[in-house]
Amino acid sequence: MRHPFAWVGHPWVMTRKVDRVDSSSGNQGSSIQAGLGGRYASALFDLAVEARAVDRVEQSLTAVRDALAASRDFAALAASPVIARGQAVKAVLATADELGLDPTTRSFLGVLAENRRLSALPKIIRAFRAMAAQHRGETTAEVTSAHPLSPEQVDELKQQLRRRVGREVTVDLAVDPQILGGLVVRIGSQMIDSSIRTRLNALASAMKG
């Protein structure tokens, strides 16, 4: 099968497989794939499966997600619609090298930069992680906590969620101090919310009658 990413002189170009992502009009039969971010993630996942590199790509995407959270410069690069394509490609590839990303993910970031789709990275990463978990026979839980969880807390959470859903669970962690304690867990369309803010909002609504 023809490699979906190719280097043809400069800059990055998309070949047939991923070139259809921007022109594709909708749901491809999976809620994970719905939307532009999901379709890019699906194209990357197909390539990762072919290369037997799903775990490596997932690890690289996790590093990208952490870098977006830690670096204002990288986050600004991803969000800016005005940075010249060539400059964006050069900057994102330099970041990929600094993070030690695998070649597939590095190439993919170059494609996103060339197509001005770096702003879709958070959605792409979430969708890819969900696909990877599904590929392994796992369920993905999006977990938001008021403070970072320790490894022991993450392990305990995984065990509780595994008992609840009856299968292995991969957790996608995020921190949001505004939830005022507790956890917000989303598994697919199911929301499990024990945060103080949600309980206060529910109480306020009840008092309004």
Side-chain angles (χ1 to χ4, degrees):
M1 179 177 291
R2 188 182 182 188
H3 198 293
F5 307 127
W7 176 263
V8 181
H10 182 78
W12 287 93
V13 297
M14 280 189 175
T15 55
R16 187 187 315 166
K17 185 174 183 179
V18 178
D19 211 12
R20 291 196 299 263
V21 171
D22 280 301
S23 60
S24 179
S25 59
N27 198 311
Q28 300 179 13
S30 168
S31 59
I32 294 176
Q33 294 177 350
L36 184 64
R39 296 197 296 275
Y40 267 107
S42 181
L44 176 59
F45 184 77
D46 287 347
L47 179 63
V49 170
E50 293 168 12
R52 299 182 181 180
V54 173
D55 290 344
R56 291 197 300 273
V57 172
E58 185 177 14
Q59 290 170 2
S60 289
L61 290 178
T62 299
V64 172
R65 182 195 64 185
D66 293 345
L68 285 170
S71 171
R72 291 184 179 180
D73 289 341
F74 187 35
L77 169 66
S80 176
V82 298
I83 297 176
R85 292 176 193 268
Q87 183 180 356
V89 171
K90 183 178 180 180
V92 80
L93 293 182
T95 300
D97 291 339
E98 183 177 345
L99 294 174
L101 305 185
D102 72 283
T104 299
T105 305
R106 182 183 188 276
S107 298
F108 182 73
L109 291 180
V111 171
L112 290 183
E114 173 61 25
N115 279 26
R116 297 188 183 278
R117 296 298 187 185
L118 288 173
S119 61
L121 265 173
K123 292 181 179 179
I124 292 170
I125 294 170
R126 285 195 297 271
F128 185 97
R129 285 172 59 86
M131 292 174 193
Q134 190 176 69
H135 181 70
R136 293 189 295 265
E138 300 172 354
T139 295
T140 298
E142 296 179 12
V143 178
T144 303
S145 58
H147 305 283
L149 301 179
S150 69
E152 293 77 14
Q153 290 172 321
V154 173
D155 288 340
E156 176 62 25
L157 177 61
K158 286 182 178 180
Q159 293 178 23
Q160 293 183 18
L161 293 174
R162 183 171 62 246
R163 288 193 291 267
R164 184 183 184 98
V165 303
R167 63 193 303 184
E168 292 296 325
V169 176
T170 296
V171 294
D172 192 352
L173 301 172
V175 175
D176 180 4
Q178 293 186 0
I179 69 172
L180 303 179
L183 295 172
V184 177
V185 181
R186 181 186 295 276
I187 302 177
S189 60
Q190 181 182 13
M191 178 75 78
I192 307 169
D193 194 328
S194 62
S195 71
I196 295 174
R197 183 178 65 179
T198 297
R199 295 199 295 271
L200 290 176
N201 288 342
L203 178 61
S205 298
M207 293 176 64
K208 291 178 181 178

